[in-house]
Amino acid sequence: MTTAQGAASRLPQRVLVVDDDPFTRDVVKRRLERLGIPAVLTAGSVEEARVCLATTARMDLIFCDLGMPDEDGVTLLRGLAPDYADCGIVLISAISEKLLRVVGKLVSAHGLWLLGTLSKPLSTRDFDQVMTAWRQGPGPVASRPQAELSVNRLRTAIRDGEIQVHVQPQCALDTGALVGVEALSRWTLPGYGPVFPDLFIPFATTHGLINALTEHVLNQVLDALAAWREQGLQLTASINIAASTLHRVDLPDVVLDACARRGINPNQLVFELTEADVVHDLTRSLDVASRLYLAGVTLALDDYGTGQATLSQLRQFPFGEIKLDRSFVAAMRGDAEARTIVESSCRLARSLDLRCVAEGIEDDETLRLVRALDCDLAQGYLIARPMPISELLNWSRQHQAHPVFGATNPSTC
């Protein structure tokens, strides 16, 4: 098997999402595409799903809602066996946990490969768990090549620079100007291929390597900021950090020292934390967060709107930015509730004097809707996909010459 083939088999290549709720379909579809899955098809009913299964190439993974009005998902699953015995099945439903467990047993009894269940509203953690189940088995994944992760292997990858930073541009919604980037870790394992961040970052966290990985990413980002500055490009850079990193009492000193060595102002850095991350070890987190704030580093609340304690966290921590979860932004076109959530989030950010970033901008209509709100920055595939650091300068020049969008009211820019 070639490296490319090995890398491709790490994720399902064809996925079908069956759900009568367009918002849920879009959320799952976007999350799958974000992982790099090349073909994600959707169906709004069991009948559409049957047509899709009969007329397209075979699926590797199926997400199926159980409580659809015209025909429930159980009938679709019953018809999959035995031809789809090696296809991963994920159940989606707003029904009780007890019934989900019962249907799960039924799926297994049919000889199908049950990966797990997603209760509505969807949880990022549950979604990550079912994708981990795909990679780890049981079932057909057992025959797939697995990345040989070990503490020594990951430590070597960090030390030798195998883990590289790619960046995704962030543009001002009022002018279209490039103002910042988000840093994203990418690792290509020799002899294997890409190892996805949702695999090696939790591994690094669990095995005590997350601080080394964070410093490795930080140093690459600061080097890039210094190089871009030499070319007249002054940007901010967002870096995702784990909860355990925020508990590191020497983090502000490490950041300030790294910035000073390169002549970088700490206010060019944004540290992003997910809603679930910041609630652990509150005392130490507040200590470190306060010192970072005093140093000039902006703290951002990532995936805003998906957690359970959002407002409490906004009060407790010195956040300067919120990032609207891409699932809400992407669903704005056809879902009034998602649009209301985005609108209210933008108003809240403005009232609290927080910068607001909309990620997941992938089409002109979504861009138009977001620009009509009181939002500051846009990020997404419509603007640019993540790219190696070395390509950003050339992209910025092309963007300046041919911007994706410009000012709605030039007199205010």
Side-chain angles (χ1 to χ4, degrees), residues 54-74:
T55 58
T56 63
R58 200 175 184 286
M59 298 296 159
D60 299 314
L61 176 58
I62 297 175
F63 288 76
C64 184
D65 182 22
L66 296 178
M68 291 179 283
D70 296 331
E71 189 176 1
D72 61 66
V74 176

Side-chain angles (χ1 to χ4, degrees), residues 157-237:
I158 296 171
R159 182 196 66 202
D160 294 348
E162 291 177 14
I163 298 177
Q164 293 291 306
V165 171
H166 285 206
V167 292
Q168 186 171 30
Q170 297 175 332
C171 294
L173 274 163
D174 57 353
T175 65
L178 172 66
V179 296
V181 296
E182 179 181 359
L184 304 164
S185 298
R186 297 291 184 262
W187 181 17
T188 299
L189 185 59
Y192 173 77
V195 183
F196 294 94
D198 62 332
L199 180 63
F200 71 79
I201 291 178
F203 185 89
T205 302
T206 302
H207 293 85
L209 292 175
I210 192 62
N211 287 342
L213 177 59
T214 300
E215 287 190 41
H216 174 70
V217 172
L218 174 65
N219 286 326
Q220 287 191 61
V221 167
L222 292 176
D223 286 342
L225 289 174
W228 294 333
R229 180 190 58 202
E230 293 299 317
Q231 299 297 321
L233 188 61
Q234 193 83 356
L235 301 176
T236 62

